Amino acid sequence: MTMPRNTGISRMKIRLLPGNILPQLLLILLILIMAFFLSITSPFFLTWDNLRNIFDHSALYIILALGMTFVISSGGIDLSVGAVTALSGVCMAVAMQSGLGVGISILSGVAAGALVGAANGCIISLFKINPFIVTLAFMSLVRGLALVITGGIPIYGFPRSFTWWGSGHIGPLNPPMLLAALLTVLAALVLNMSRFGYYTLALGGNEEALRRSGVSINLYKIMVYLLCGATAALGGLVVTARLNTAEPLAGWMLEMDSIAAVVLGGTSMKGGKGSIAGTAIACLLLGILRNGLVILSIPSYYQYLLIGVIILSAVIFAEAGWGKGLGSINRKKERRGRTV
Amino acid sequence: MWDRAGEGKKIPFIRLRNIKKTFGHVVALDGINLDVYPGEVTALVGDNGAGKSTLIKIIAGVLNPDEGELSLNGRHFQHLTPSRAIELGISAVYQDLALVDCRDVASNIFLGKEPLKACFFVDKKRMNRESEELLKKLKVSVPSVTTPVELLSGGQRQGVAVARSIKQKGRMLIFDEPTAAMGVRESAGVLELIRDLGDEGFAVFVISHNLHHVFTIADRICVIRNGRLVKDLRTKSATPDQVVGFITGTNRDIADTADIVNIKEGSITT
Ligand SMILES: Nc1ncnc2c1ncn2[C@@H]1O[C@H](COP(=O)(O)OP(=O)(O)O)[C@@H](O)[C@H]1O
Ligand SMILES: [Mg+2]
């Protein structure tokens, strides 16, 4: 019951600035600062061509990071997504080479990704093995599969209707951007408003509580990893179509980028809390950062360094920073408001 | 051996036969036979580590017994699963509460039973409304049903766990120390609820350390010691002293009890 005593300022603060929106606001602020800095450094930064370029690159990261958001908020991790990106692209290429239609080929590639995800989920949930080690093994296994299927040689030259998915035009935008936008909206609806989303977060919060409530935790875990495999495969579609090449070494280190984006976006590594909007915003931020490195002609090797630093600072921030401080302030105030 | 209090008139909701459970070298349950009847409140009392929580976890399908059988409605089971137990109408409030701390009050109350609208979206408005009504009925006050459970006090958290067990709409309700962390007002609300549930025909099984509470709400008291059911009494024909004796093992049976009572009252002359 809402306490009459609790309708004061503390209550308002909780409503206006819930702890879980703060990281996202901060990210937007960071984006604005970076954009401001870059736009005065280079007149090129704020041109539509450059912005389009940023959106185009961020789209791929967003697509992958959405699935990763589900996995991480369920208390897991998926290190195999980069490899799945390559495998699904290879599957699509092989399907098209063997004369299958573009639609069917894309579906087969997505199915391959979903299958890898489901396999991850099955092993993690049925044998109760740490997701880190299972998906690490799958990272190597899937990459190996992509190399074996192609013999290590990239496959290229696809129909226009396939490459459209990477380099087509829809007005001023392109298919990857729209796909990313569409998936972001869908993912937000599913995570925040569907039973599947509720159970994903409950899995990360207290999976034993979920089990005791009669929910099949194995089924939902498998579905979470399956979803992540499927989004990684859609990433594979974008990469393969964009380059017009199915490259068995594509998506190298993409797992790092998507984990970084998810953590930066305010999703808790401990599970139980996830922000789709945060993930999308963080992907844009990373996109601008990469773009900035190019504009400032800083060697791309520094990206790895930077991503590492970003993951570390995001985790430390979430663990020890304002997130916790604010939480404890709220807690004190709410405790005070109770009557026994 | 033990009195089968209440047997004869009614059909038990659940029968446990020779339930055994060990954890490594620890024998938690050593052949439990117990029937729990609808329409009455059965209290399970015993010392720490006697096996109470283990027993209710087996009834709720959270743990599998090593040996023995559970029967409900003439169906026999070697073990249950949480979802099967809930299907069969068994809801439980666990000692550790089994709440998802980072989720809000309403989401916890409806965990596993979320109402849907348009076949896809969780009907959060309805969850919030019904949670508020239920908590009001239970006399549990929380800042808001959208507060994460991790921000609540121990008593409030227990209130949420009790509310969830009610929402599961079971016909047997199990409470493992439901008032341990509650204040006086909250305890009174929950005890009243437990008594009402018994009167309304539910099979209620409650574990409590507070003998005063037990004597207020229970129709029947079962005493468990070292994994064995040592006594099964009607509350009407028992005294707290006597029950304490069975819990600690100083009383072996009714005859002993009578003697001790008599000695206390000085009516035994030797
Ligand atoms: N998961 C477990 N692993 C190992 N031992 C356990 C476990 N659960 C309970 N036990 C042991 O079983 C015995 C009974 O425990 P429990 O049923 O929790 O007692 P109670 O609820 O009556 O205090 C205790 O000795 C306890 O240490
Ligand atoms: Mg116990």
Side-chain angles (χ1 to χ4, degrees), chain B residues 12 29 48 86 154 169 184 192 219 232 246 254 261:
Chain B
L29 296 176
N48 276 332
I86 290 170
K169 295 198 166 67
V184 176
E192 192 183 317
D219 298 300
D232 188 341
F246 287 120
I254 287 290
V261 170

Side-chain angles (χ1 to χ4, degrees), chain B residues 61-106:
Chain B
V62 171
L63 290 174
N64 296 345
D66 301 334
E67 265 182 62
E69 190 181 72
L70 304 95
S71 34
L72 286 100
N73 295 331
R75 292 170 71 190
H76 303 285
F77 302 92
Q78 300 299 315
H79 66 87
L80 297 171
T81 60
S83 56
R84 158 83 48 76
I86 290 170
E87 258 166 47
L88 291 168
I90 301 171
S91 315
V93 176
Y94 299 94
Q95 192 165 13
D96 59 14
L97 302 181
L99 297 174
V100 185
D101 281 342
C102 54
R103 303 291 282 159
D104 71 13
V105 170

Side-chain angles (χ1 to χ4, degrees), chain A residues 192-254:
Chain A
N192 297 313
M193 298 174 81
S194 76
R195 235 183 224 170
F196 175 64
Y198 270 57
Y199 294 165
T200 301
L201 296 169
L203 270 177
N206 183 348
E207 78 175 57
E208 177 63 12
L210 190 62
R211 182 178 86 90
R212 290 189 195 175
S213 296
V215 176
S216 165
I217 56 173
N218 290 349
L219 176 71
Y220 279 93
K221 261 194 201 170
I222 293 168
M223 277 165 53
V224 165
Y225 284 93
L226 184 148
L227 180 79
C228 189
T231 55
L234 287 173
L237 166 66
V238 168
V239 172
T240 313
R242 191 189 276 156
L243 302 176
N244 197 9
T245 307
E247 154 76 72
L249 292 178
W252 196 255
M253 294 277 275
L254 261 186

Side-chain angles (χ1 to χ4, degrees), chain A residues 1-3 6 11 14 186 189-199 201-216 271-273 327-328 330-332 334-335 337-340, chain B residues 57 61-62 82-83 86 94 96 98-100 102-103 107 111-116 120-122 124 127 131-133 135-136 140-144 146-147 150-153 156 164 168 183-186:
Chain A
M1 315 308 83
T2 317
M3 309 300 305
N6 218 351
R11 186 86 202 103
I14 292 163
L186 273 179
L189 289 178
V190 170
L191 185 65
N192 297 313
M193 298 174 81
S194 76
R195 235 183 224 170
F196 175 64
Y198 270 57
Y199 294 165
L201 296 169
L203 270 177
N206 183 348
E207 78 175 57
E208 177 63 12
L210 190 62
R211 182 178 86 90
R212 290 189 195 175
S213 296
V215 176
S216 165
K273 275 177 192 147
S328 62
N330 282 351
R331 188 169 318 182
K332 259 182 227 148
E334 303 226 356
R335 281 262 166 83
R338 89 197 156 90
T339 56
V340 176
Chain B
K57 281 183 189 158
V62 171
S83 56
I86 290 170
Y94 299 94
D96 59 14
L99 297 174
V100 185
C102 54
R103 303 291 282 159
S107 306
L111 191 62
K113 294 265 178 210
E114 295 82 357
L116 293 184
F120 176 77
F121 295 109
V122 171
K124 190 70 174 47
M127 280 168 51
S131 301
E132 270 176 28
E133 288 166 7
L135 289 173
K136 191 177 250 161
V140 174
S141 50
V142 295
S144 151
T146 54
T147 309
E150 63 196 345
L151 299 180
L152 299 181
S153 71
Q156 290 169 324
R164 180 175 60 200
Q168 287 173 345
V184 176
R185 199 180 76 103
E186 288 167 321

Side-chain angles (χ1 to χ4, degrees), chain B residues 21-24 26-29 44 46-57 63 95 176-177 207 209 224:
Chain B
K21 177 77 186 174
T22 54
F23 296 104
V26 179
V27 181
L29 296 176
L44 183 67
D47 230 337
N48 276 332
K52 306 183 294 295
S53 296
T54 306
L55 182 63
I56 68 113
K57 281 183 189 158
L63 290 174
Q95 192 165 13
D176 193 350
E177 311 262 7
I207 296 176
H209 265 125
I224 187 170

